[in-house]
Amino acid sequence: NTVQEVNLATGESRLVITFASRPNPTPVGPPQLEAVPSGIRAFAGRLLVPQLTGFPFPPGFAQVLSVGTTGDSYTFIDGLTMAIDVLPRTLTSLYTLEFSTDPLNGGPGRLQLFTFPGPTSQVLATDLITPAGMARDEVTGDLFVTSFATGTIVRVPIL
């Protein structure tokens, strides 16, 4: 549950941040939930790190953190359930991908577009099967989402 900076020339690493566990807001599962960072993307001179939390994956408890190179961090987006990936679109908008919106009942994943300031969100897809990552076609703007369970890549047209 850390971010480390690695010097590619020397192989030496430096700890940037360790993500703390958070109190479990539910009566189910352990008293503390792991942070479970699930990806990392550069954005506006900082790092965006989605976190999906540990079991029981409380709805609305996952988040995307913004992390600076000195280890400072703040919640950039909250209210997610199982944040698995984040992808900047512009300096004022980005996509979030969730592995599931109801993991204990096999619920589908969700793709959203967040626009800042605000943020405001727009749901783009709610029927994704165990999405694990995404990439954007720079020509069409469409997103390609990988599926962990099916081993497929789904094109999500973006209008």
Side-chain angles (χ1 to χ4, degrees), residues 14-131:
R14 174 184 73 86
L15 179 67
V16 175
I17 189 170
T18 298
F19 299 110
S21 297
R22 297 176 15 197
N24 182 352
T26 75
V28 177
Q32 296 285 316
L33 299 180
E34 292 288 324
V36 193
S38 55
I40 192 165
R41 302 272 186 166
F43 181 69
R46 296 178 64 84
L47 301 172
L48 294 180
V49 181
Q51 296 183 341
L52 56 82
T53 78
F55 177 83
F57 315 107
F61 205 64
Q63 58 191 354
V64 175
L65 296 178
S66 176
V67 177
T69 58
T70 62
D72 62 300
S73 70
Y74 61 88
T75 301
F76 195 69
I77 296 173
D78 63 0
L80 304 172
T81 299
M82 288 187 81
I84 195 79
D85 200 0
V86 62
L87 182 63
R89 178 177 170 219
T90 67
L91 285 177
T92 60
S93 64
L94 58 85
Y95 300 101
T96 61
L97 186 64
E98 293 173 85
F99 188 80
S100 175
T101 55
D102 188 4
L104 299 183
N105 293 305
R110 175 173 55 189
L111 173 67
Q112 294 185 84
L113 172 64
F114 282 85
T115 306
F116 301 91
T120 58
S121 67
Q122 176 186 0
V123 176
L124 302 176
T126 58
D127 57 352
L128 301 170
I129 299 170
T130 62

